[in-house]
Amino acid sequence: MNYKVVETFVSINGEGKKSGELAVFIRLAGCNLRCSYCDTMWANQDDVVFKSMSKEEIYDYIKSTGVTNVTLTGGEPLIQEGVGELIDYLLTDEKLCIEVETNGSVAIQKFRKNHGRRLSFTMDYKGSSSLMEEKMLLKNFETLTEHDTVKFVVGNEYDLSKAKDLIDKYHLTEVCHVFFSPIYKEIEGETIVEFMKTNKLNKVRLQIQLHKIIWSPEERGV
Ligand SMILES: C[S@@+](CC[C@H](N)C(=O)[O-])C[C@H]1O[C@@H](n2cnc3c(N)ncnc32)[C@H](O)[C@@H]1O
Ligand SMILES: Nc1nc2[nH]cc(C(=O)O)c2c(=O)[nH]1
Ligand code: SF4
Ligand SMILES: [Mg+2]
């Protein structure tokens, strides 16, 4: 089994619970969604140039970097054929921790084995601004653990209100990490903080994509 890898790089993770820590990124080709704001649409094109890599080649690359946090992203990593086998294989190395960046439309439960904290899902909830909200699989909320993260990617107050309703309904702050992440240049951080204050949203964190502050927002491989 080979995987369609469009990009590999080491950077600081710019998003999620390990934001600021080094991570080695494996970006897989193809996505089942088309979010209005996607900053990685190039990876979703049918004619994207990819490197066909086996799980052993991906593992060797990861080990060559000396970095132990692995981020599997894309595109949508969980629609890549055989990705469960890749995850299981990488986790046979007890030094590695894998974070899967997933779009919220794919059932995550079947990928979990007894990996504990070394496998975590960072799952988006894509609000109305994404134009993909109808694709969100709410059942995923019932399977989250303390190692996982829900990232509400928000573009306006309506998205924020929807996020609050879901946080309340599924008691998300009690079961996993919860982030609000602004769609780049679409909504002011201040608006999000005011919403958090007004609604007393304890245990929710605002995150801003660090890599878009450190590097140019269009830069690849960072
Ligand atoms: C490019 S996606 C790849 C993984 C997966 N397809 C997903 O959507 O989670 C990685 C992360 O970048 C976020 N993202 C993409 N474009 C963005 C933008 N313009 N502003 C803020 N976050 C963005 C996505 O919401 C997602 O959390
Ligand atoms: N530095 C950096 N951190 C990230 N965290 C998640 C990313 C992604 O595209 O999934 C990403 C990315 O593209 N770059
Ligand atoms: S799901 Fe992720 S990769 Fe796919 S279009 Fe949306 S942001 Fe981009
Ligand atoms: Mg990115």
Side-chain angles (χ1 to χ4, degrees):
M1 172 79 62
N2 272 21
Y3 301 90
K4 295 180 179 177
V5 179
V6 292
E7 193 176 52
T8 58
F9 59 95
V10 171
S11 187
I12 46 97
N13 198 336
E15 304 182 38
K17 66 174 183 169
K18 291 202 174 173
S19 179
E21 282 189 42
L22 282 179
V24 49
F25 290 81
I26 309 293
R27 195 182 298 284
L28 300 171
C31 187
N32 56 326
L33 303 187
R34 291 290 180 271
C35 302
S36 58
Y37 52 75
C38 181
D39 61 13
T40 321
M41 204 59 99
W42 59 270
N44 306 338
Q45 309 303 330
D46 288 340
D47 59 354
V48 66
V49 177
F50 62 86
K51 190 170 171 194
S52 179
M53 293 176 82
S54 65
K55 59 182 191 280
E56 291 85 1
E57 287 171 327
I58 293 173
Y59 176 73
D60 288 348
Y61 164 69
I62 290 168
K63 291 305 276 186
S64 77
T65 68
V67 172
T68 53
N69 289 327
V70 180
T71 300
L72 281 188
T73 185
E76 173 49 45
L78 295 183
I79 62 162
Q80 183 94 186
E81 200 186 339
V83 74
E85 192 183 319
L86 173 64
I87 292 170
D88 292 345
Y89 181 73
L90 297 179
L91 285 170
T92 58
D93 184 327
E94 292 187 358
K95 290 208 163 60
L96 299 182
C97 288
I98 300 196
E99 180 177 5
V100 179
E101 286 273 339
T102 184
N103 65 22
S105 76
V106 184
I108 58 179
Q109 190 61 7
K110 68 169 184 267
F111 297 101
R112 279 190 222 277
K113 307 266 167 67
N114 292 321
H115 300 306
R117 63 165 189 89
R118 293 198 302 115
L119 176 62
S120 63
F121 293 90
T122 297
M123 190 182 87
D124 272 12
Y125 182 86
K126 297 179 185 296
S128 62
S129 304
S130 72
L131 306 180
M132 293 292 131
E133 188 172 11
E134 69 192 31
K135 306 282 188 189
M136 295 298 98
L137 206 65
L138 295 173
K139 268 221 145 320
N140 273 335
F141 284 138
E142 292 162 17
T143 72
L144 297 166
T145 77
E146 62 193 317
H147 308 302
D148 300 322
T149 298
V150 174
K151 190 197 297 170
F152 290 95
V153 184
V154 294
N156 53 38
E157 298 246 9
Y158 182 82
D159 288 347
L160 285 164
S161 295
K162 185 63 185 276
K164 184 195 168 330
D165 290 348
L166 290 166
I167 290 166
D168 290 345
K169 179 169 182 197
Y170 292 95
H171 310 289
L172 292 178
T173 52
E174 305 307 314
V175 292
C176 65
H177 303 268
V178 180
F179 287 88
F180 284 166
S181 185
I183 298 172
Y184 188 70
K185 298 256 173 183
E186 186 72 27
I187 177 171
E188 295 294 333
E190 235 181 285
T191 308
I192 299 178
V193 176
E194 282 309 316
F195 183 88
M196 291 167 70
K197 284 166 64 178
T198 305
N199 292 282
K200 318 225 170 346
L201 287 181
N202 294 299
K203 296 172 83 176
V204 173
R205 271 182 278 173
L206 167 63
Q207 69 149 52
I208 293 176
Q209 293 177 299
L210 273 185
H211 47 295
K212 289 190 187 163
I213 297 171
I214 300 175
W215 295 278
S216 144
E218 286 80 34
E219 187 102 6
R220 291 193 194 175
V222 295

